[in-house]
Amino acid sequence: MKNILLTSTALVAFAGAAFADSNGVSFAGSATLGYNEDSDDGALGDNDGFYWDANVAVTMSQELDNGLTATVVFDFDAADHDTGSDLVAGGYLLSLTSDTAGLYFGDTSFAAETIWSSAGDMEADGFSEADGEVVLRGDVMMAGVTASLSYAVEDKNGVPASDSVNQLSLGASGTFGNFTVGAAYQEEATDDFNAANGDFTNGEIFGVFASTTFSGATVTVAYADNTAADITSTGVKVSYPFGPVTATAYYVMEEMGPAAAVGESDEDNFGIKVAYEAGAIAVALDYQDDQTVSKTAIDGSYDLGNGLTVFAGMYMEDGIEDEFYVAGSYDLGNGASILVAYADAPNDTDDEVGANEYQRGTTIEVGFTF
């Protein structure tokens, strides 16, 4: 058995100003120090043993004479499993915005990703999700309609698009009376562009959706067509709150064409989620039938007061072993907190357990925000 004593002086020391704001420039920061013990030795990317990092975020903003606001946001790692010898940029975004329009360049979402609203677990609505790509996007808001258009400029590895830009993505949504309607589209990307990002999909995808609220219930219907994958999805989702409980259910009809990938199924998807929240207690039960694979997640929390909250949950899926976790978080005040967690995930494909994505094994972690 290992005995570990963590003291405030041995954990971490900080010096200098934590925050500054002058001439439209502001600074914020965070720091984490933790210890994780995983019997699988961090094979999936878990931290194994001590880990630490510190991050500094910078925001520079200035109102221009023509009614535009210019903003630059970036952050960098001051320390990441080292003693701070390297500064590595973690994100960069330049924007020019007004009350009715915005132009964004850098680490931001694609247009279709920004606009699209699904109706449950739809196999065909795999619009690309930005995760480290350099994106150029423009938004316009007029007469209750928001329209967005974007291109990818560089992939996650910093490789420029062969034609300067790649994969046109666009979308528009508007509210008319009690109804919200929208559409999203992305064109096919070149095969060599999705390096290192599993959330970037090269195929051409089109989708439309509509939602409304009546008698307290919110209803969403959506249709998506993934041309390259030869899949179409038609779904309906209903959410209804009653008292401290909110129930959400969806049903998606899936159709696979002859060009669909081997192993794809045209079995329909459906699911139901019941969430309860009242006072100090929050519990959610989520069941999905995803292409005939049954998935059940249970997550709960209880606020004991005085800054202490406990969490527990379980995940069950056909064909894999059950997972569970227990955790406690204590708010130390002024942006500081401590986390103690244990997560059991015997499956070799999961290193983020539960709704809060805990590391496998035992974790003790202190965090600070400034």
Side-chain angles (χ1 to χ4, degrees):
M1 177 179 295
K2 296 181 179 179
N3 295 314
I4 302 171
L5 177 63
L6 301 179
T7 68
S8 59
T9 54
L11 281 173
V12 66
F14 296 94
F19 180 84
D21 192 344
S22 177
N23 297 322
V25 180
S26 63
F27 298 86
S30 64
T32 300
L33 176 62
Y35 180 86
N36 174 260
E37 185 174 49
D38 181 8
S39 59
D40 290 322
D41 297 325
L44 293 178
D46 283 345
N47 295 294
D48 187 29
F50 283 99
Y51 60 93
W52 61 94
D53 63 69
N55 181 271
V56 177
V58 183
T59 300
M60 300 184 291
S61 184
Q62 183 67 51
E63 293 186 7
L64 308 181
D65 293 338
N66 53 14
L68 295 175
T69 298
T71 304
V72 178
V73 180
F74 62 92
D75 67 88
F76 54 88
D77 293 328
D80 188 4
H81 283 272
D82 55 30
T83 56
S85 57
D86 299 321
L87 295 179
V88 180
Y92 168 84
L93 176 63
L94 169 65
S95 65
L96 289 172
T97 58
S98 69
D99 292 338
T100 59
L103 182 64
Y104 305 87
F105 181 85
D107 188 3
T108 189
S109 301
F110 297 115
E113 176 189 1
T114 302
I115 297 294
W116 175 249
S117 181
S118 69
D121 181 16
M122 305 175 69
E123 300 296 316
D125 70 342
F127 292 103
S128 292
E129 298 180 10
D131 183 16
E133 290 84 7
V134 177
V135 179
L136 174 62
R137 192 186 85 235
D139 299 340
V140 176
M141 293 75 73
M142 185 177 298
V145 176
T146 299
S148 183
L149 182 148
S150 72
Y151 281 98
V153 178
E154 290 186 356
D155 68 17
K156 188 173 183 178
N157 287 342
V159 179
S162 56
D163 294 325
S164 297
V165 293
N166 207 325
Q167 193 175 75
L168 166 69
S169 178
L170 54 87
S173 67
T175 300
F176 308 94
N178 201 36
F179 291 86
T180 298
V181 297
Y185 170 81
Q186 72 175 35
E187 71 174 2
E188 185 176 0
T190 57
D191 292 336
D192 60 348
F193 193 81
N194 63 354
N197 181 5
D199 294 325
F200 189 97
T201 55
N202 294 53
E204 181 182 28
I205 302 175
F206 169 75
V208 293
F209 64 89
S211 64
T212 187
T213 301
F214 61 91
S215 300
T218 299
V219 180
T220 302
V221 294
Y223 170 83
D225 185 335
N226 189 322
T227 302
D230 201 11
I231 303 172
T232 63
S233 302
T234 304
V236 58
K237 180 174 67 174
V238 180
S239 179
Y240 184 76
F242 47 98
V245 177
T246 300
T248 303
Y250 69 85
Y251 190 91
V252 181
M253 294 177 289
E254 307 286 359
E255 292 188 13
M256 311 289 176
V262 176
E264 291 283 2
S265 169
D266 59 0
E267 295 289 341
D268 297 342
N269 292 340
F270 60 90
I272 184 169
K273 179 177 182 179
V274 179
Y276 171 88
E277 185 171 358
I281 300 175
V283 181
L285 171 63
D286 191 351
Y287 173 82
Q288 298 180 27
D289 188 290
D290 181 7
Q291 300 288 280
T292 72
V293 177
S294 175
K295 304 175 181 179
T296 303
I298 304 172
D299 295 284
S301 66
Y302 183 75
D303 187 348
L304 296 172
N306 298 322
L308 179 61
T309 304
V310 295
F311 305 86
M314 190 173 210
Y315 179 78
M316 296 158 282
E317 179 179 333
D318 289 345
I320 67 174
E321 296 184 57
D322 295 347
E323 302 176 357
F324 72 89
Y325 67 89
V326 291
S329 176
Y330 184 71
D331 185 355
L332 299 172
N334 295 321
S337 64
I338 184 168
L339 168 71
V340 179
Y342 175 77
D344 181 75
N347 311 294
D348 292 335
T349 58
D350 195 0
D351 62 345
E352 297 176 340
V353 183
N356 294 326
E357 298 182 347
Y358 296 111
Q359 300 177 91
R360 301 196 307 177
T362 301
T363 301
I364 303 173
E365 180 182 290
V366 290
F368 306 87
T369 58
F370 303 91

